[in-house]
Amino acid sequence: MAEVAGNSVICQLADAEGKLAGNPVDIPQDAGPRELTALLNAILQNEEKLPYAFYIDDREVSEPLGEHLRQHKVSVEKVLSIVYQPQAVFRIRSVTRCSATIPGHTEAVLAVAFSPDSKQLASGSGDTTVRFWDVNTQTPLKTRAGHKNWVLTLAWSPDARYLATGGMDAHVLLWESPAGEKDPVALKGHRKWITAIAWEPAHVALPCRRLASASRDGDVRVWDAVRRATLFVLTGHTLAVTSLRWGGDGVIYSGSRDCTVRMWSAANGAALQQLKGHGHWVNSLALSTDYALRTGAFDHRGVNALLATDEERQEKARVRYEAVRGESGERLVSGSDDFTMVLWHPATAMQPNSPVAAALKAKLTGHQQLVNHVCFSPDGRWLASGSFDKSVKLWDGVSGRFIASFRAHVSPIYQLCWSADSRLLVSASKDSTLKVWDLQTRKVREDLPGHADEVFAVDWSPDGTKVASGGKDRVLKLWMT
């Protein structure tokens, strides 16, 4: 360790993927994030000045450079590497209070989901109903029956025109928005209950009409929402399919209890690759582009009406997707009952003569019990995992390096969700609480008690203003700033 001496430090700025920004530069020790941001905008020749965060050895630089180096005992014997990360131009404030407790469901609330425009909220329950809620008045809007058993999963289409629900009755129901005014369309074909639903991205096709469903029968079915028919069936898994993602590059990903992740062509359903890296059930999948795929053309303000045509909306969705995707392609992470996660680079698996093992970018270990849920931050920079070991862990979303453990829950973690600006993370737990974590301080920002029993589901609205949660106490809670 060399003492920080002199008035400046030679630094090399680079993005999270290692792409260098210009040549090494001599930076004064009293330069802070504001000066570094101005310097980087000049190096990158940005016409519109963008905000950035800077990291040295995965620690954010939030004070003058010299003070940061002394505080964390960083060596300056070599050129100092500073990683920059584009920040959201907006800032989401943490939810701090329960603004509404809305009864209605007569059994546990198993799933909640805001629409991509943040104007609608839906919940699914063990009472077999799907309920639509008015997020402005915070009151029940519609209660719709259609399923004959528990409603297990919900998924809004990226254009907010449809809500798809899957249940233990093995049916997928399509509800037209707003608020499911029309009777649902039943898509039948699975033999066991539905575990996951994924829609085709808006930048690929708009209006959205294709969706995929996964089931405990081991199959994945791709449906046409307009023709109300199965387009093709993806068979190959030998046990229940537990998780599903429809990627932005024409690939559908499925994770199964047969310990594998499979890649399928979204064009014709052909099997592309089988990714093997786990020794037990795969519980959860996440893509680094999930947020952009979920929200399509809607930005953090839910603005879409200014775009007059579907072509304009599709183009905006494409621009938003490519900004997060980056040059190296989208990344996939799988969480498993074997206590580990695997970070995959699917594009590598698709290259000719490339061994499938080359797609395994990193094995993420550290949890002491099964990994129940994984999710990337909206900007793709961070990866969070929730486990039955009562901890939330933060990882580098590009390299898979471990960053920090968040410990405050006293029971297993069921679900996680990020704020739209990637600065906050909310976790739902069996201990009946929600906790909001601050990525900068890596500590609990808000402790949100209020539920009377286990919290199974949580979702943060894409516009960042509300969090919805539901659980075993049969009520839906809305949390606001």
Side-chain angles (χ1 to χ4, degrees), residues 182-257:
K182 300 179 182 178
D183 288 335
V185 174
L187 305 178
K188 301 179 181 179
H190 284 296
R191 302 180 303 280
K192 293 184 179 180
W193 70 62
I194 310 300
T195 55
I197 297 172
W199 284 88
E200 184 174 29
H203 71 270
V204 177
L206 206 67
C208 298
R209 59 182 290 173
R210 292 204 301 166
L211 68 155
S213 59
S215 169
R216 281 193 60 141
D217 62 14
D219 293 343
V220 175
R221 286 179 174 264
V222 177
W223 311 85
D224 187 313
V226 177
R227 291 169 49 198
R228 305 176 184 182
T230 300
L231 297 178
F232 38 83
V233 183
L234 314 180
T235 58
H237 284 297
T238 56
L239 291 173
V241 181
T242 55
S243 48
L244 191 64
R245 285 292 185 272
W246 194 315
D249 293 332
V251 178
I252 297 173
Y253 305 92
S254 59
S256 168
R257 287 188 172 183

Side-chain angles (χ1 to χ4, degrees), residues 12-35:
Q12 174 66 66
L13 296 170
D15 65 14
E17 296 179 355
K19 184 178 179 181
L20 303 181
N23 297 316
V25 290
D26 216 4
I27 299 179
Q29 287 190 37
D30 59 359
R34 180 180 298 180
E35 291 76 18

Side-chain angles (χ1 to χ4, degrees), residues 266-336:
N268 55 24
L272 300 177
Q273 290 290 0
Q274 184 181 37
L275 305 178
K276 297 181 179 180
H278 289 292
H280 212 309
W281 298 347
V282 176
N283 294 324
S284 180
L285 293 179
L287 284 169
S288 58
T289 52
D290 270 344
Y291 180 80
L293 296 176
R294 170 189 176 179
T295 54
F298 296 101
D299 58 19
H300 66 281
R301 297 165 296 174
V303 174
N304 196 7
L306 298 178
L307 304 175
T309 66
D310 282 339
E311 288 74 19
E312 290 175 338
R313 297 186 184 100
Q314 187 171 351
E315 175 62 17
K316 182 178 179 183
R318 184 190 64 79
V319 170
R320 295 185 71 234
Y321 167 74
E322 290 184 351
V324 179
R325 178 187 181 275
E327 297 179 2
S328 61
E330 55 192 6
R331 284 157 274 122
L332 176 76
V333 67
S334 54
S336 169

Side-chain angles (χ1 to χ4, degrees), residues 325-348:
R325 178 187 181 275
E327 297 179 2
S328 61
E330 55 192 6
R331 284 157 274 122
L332 176 76
V333 67
S334 54
S336 169
D337 260 31
D338 64 8
F339 308 174
T340 72
M341 293 168 290
V342 174
L343 183 63
W344 307 92
H345 192 251
T348 304

Side-chain angles (χ1 to χ4, degrees), residues 321-396:
Y321 167 74
E322 290 184 351
V324 179
R325 178 187 181 275
E327 297 179 2
S328 61
E330 55 192 6
R331 284 157 274 122
L332 176 76
V333 67
S334 54
S336 169
D337 260 31
D338 64 8
F339 308 174
T340 72
M341 293 168 290
V342 174
L343 183 63
W344 307 92
H345 192 251
T348 304
M350 299 299 296
Q351 294 174 358
N353 303 319
S354 174
V356 176
L360 196 159
K361 194 166 186 178
K363 186 92 166 181
L364 284 56
T365 60
H367 280 298
Q368 304 302 309
Q369 291 192 44
L370 67 87
V371 179
N372 198 47
H373 193 221
V374 292
C375 58
F376 277 96
S377 60
D379 61 10
R381 174 73 175 88
W382 308 107
L383 170 63
S385 58
S387 167
F388 274 28
D389 66 7
K390 311 171 190 176
S391 75
V392 177
K393 290 188 184 294
L394 182 69
W395 315 79
D396 186 299

Side-chain angles (χ1 to χ4, degrees), residues 20 52 73 76 78 172 199 203 209 225 227 234 272 286 344 383 388 408 416 422 446 471 473-474 477:
L20 303 181
Y52 293 92
K73 299 181 180 179
V76 291
K78 299 179 181 179
V172 175
W199 284 88
H203 71 270
R209 59 182 290 173
R227 291 169 49 198
L234 314 180
L272 300 177
W344 307 92
L383 170 63
F388 274 28
L416 307 169
S422 302
E446 298 291 341
D473 59 2
R474 301 174 294 190
K477 283 185 177 286

